[in-house]
Amino acid sequence: MIDALLKPFRAPTPGWPESTREVQLVSGTRLHLRPLRAADGDAWISTRLADEAWLKPVEPTAPSTWEAAHTHAAWRNTWLNLKRLAADGVVVPLVIEADGQFAGQVTLGNIQHGAVGECWIGYWVHSPFMGRGIATAACALGVDHAFHRVGMHRVTATFLPSNPASGSVLKACGFREEGFMRRNLHIDGEWRDHYFVALNCDDFPSDAVDRLATAGRLR
């Protein structure tokens, strides 16, 4: 009863639900991040089923089959869990929207305020949008959102040695390698090693998006 009375007075989650600024790639594609919504279920399911060959080898092991993890019931559970965590200020789940199309996801997770001031960033891009600089731009938008809207001091990330493309995305956004984590996460049926990288808010005098623009990666 007391929880029900206090719920309307919960402080808003920093950075949620908010969209980021829009950027334009050299190709002309316009890109921004927006909050994940319940209505994104069909797009989430169809894109992830279509991209099993790309996503399954780099994502945490599904509890059963890839198909079972991407049913409408599975989406409902995923959405409700993310919505609850976002309301609690632990996660900020964002959609990559490119020219108005669902192009993937960026997630800020394990958000910790106070003396830690840290979160991790993860992302995936739908295969038709790969190789166009969208992952790099989306990661930069997510980093800037973490620093300026969520209030983080530090953002971390990991990537598989077998996925150097993800390492290149993170490096382009300013992340620096800080370690190698042995058998860190259970990925695609096995415990896998990961490189660990991080970026502090005061590592650079400019934002990640602005650095990409200066480097000629954005208009």
Side-chain angles (χ1 to χ4, degrees):
M1 179 67 176
I2 293 176
D3 288 343
L5 291 172
L6 292 176
K7 189 174 181 180
F9 300 101
R10 174 188 286 170
T13 299
W16 173 267
E18 295 180 15
S19 296
T20 68
R21 63 189 280 194
E22 183 180 82
V23 297
Q24 188 173 19
L25 305 183
V26 175
S27 64
T29 297
R30 294 186 176 276
L31 178 80
H32 76 290
L33 306 181
R34 63 161 176 81
L36 185 70
R37 302 187 291 247
D40 291 315
D42 287 343
W44 184 86
I45 292 169
S46 62
T47 54
R48 290 181 60 83
L49 285 176
D51 285 346
E52 178 182 357
W54 293 99
L55 298 176
K56 191 168 178 282
V58 299
E59 292 203 353
T61 304
S64 55
T65 66
W66 190 258
E67 291 76 14
H70 294 88
T71 62
H72 283 88
W75 160 252
R76 176 175 171 77
N77 289 336
T78 296
W79 161 244
L80 290 176
N81 186 49
L82 287 174
K83 182 180 179 182
R84 175 182 59 81
L85 291 173
D88 289 341
V90 179
V91 169
V92 171
L94 301 163
V95 168
I96 305 170
E97 197 164 275
D99 289 336
Q101 299 181 69
F102 185 103
Q105 248 183 286
V106 169
T107 303
L108 304 176
N110 195 27
I111 295 169
Q112 301 177 71
H113 292 278
V116 178
E118 179 181 291
C119 72
W120 54 253
I121 188 168
Y123 49 85
W124 60 269
V125 174
H126 187 26
S127 55
F129 297 93
M130 291 179 180
R132 295 164 50 181
I134 285 176
T136 303
C139 182
L141 285 168
V143 164
D144 290 347
H145 192 69
F147 288 150
H148 297 303
R149 300 303 304 157
V150 184
M152 297 290 92
H153 164 72
R154 177 174 166 89
V155 180
T156 68
T158 60
F159 67 94
L160 290 159
S162 60
N163 189 15
S166 185
S168 296
V169 166
L170 293 163
K171 184 177 181 179
C173 291
F175 285 83
R176 300 173 183 178
E177 187 176 325
E178 293 193 354
F180 188 77
M181 306 172 77
R182 297 181 303 110
R183 294 169 56 81
N184 174 52
L185 290 173
H186 205 269
I187 304 290
D188 195 23
E190 294 183 28
W191 289 104
R192 308 276 186 172
D193 300 337
H194 285 78
Y195 287 105
F196 178 80
V197 298
L199 176 63
N200 291 342
C201 65
D202 52 4
D203 282 343
F204 297 92
S206 57
D207 293 344
V209 166
D210 293 338
R211 294 196 298 274
L212 290 182
T214 300
R217 290 173 176 255
L218 299 173
R219 288 188 179 181

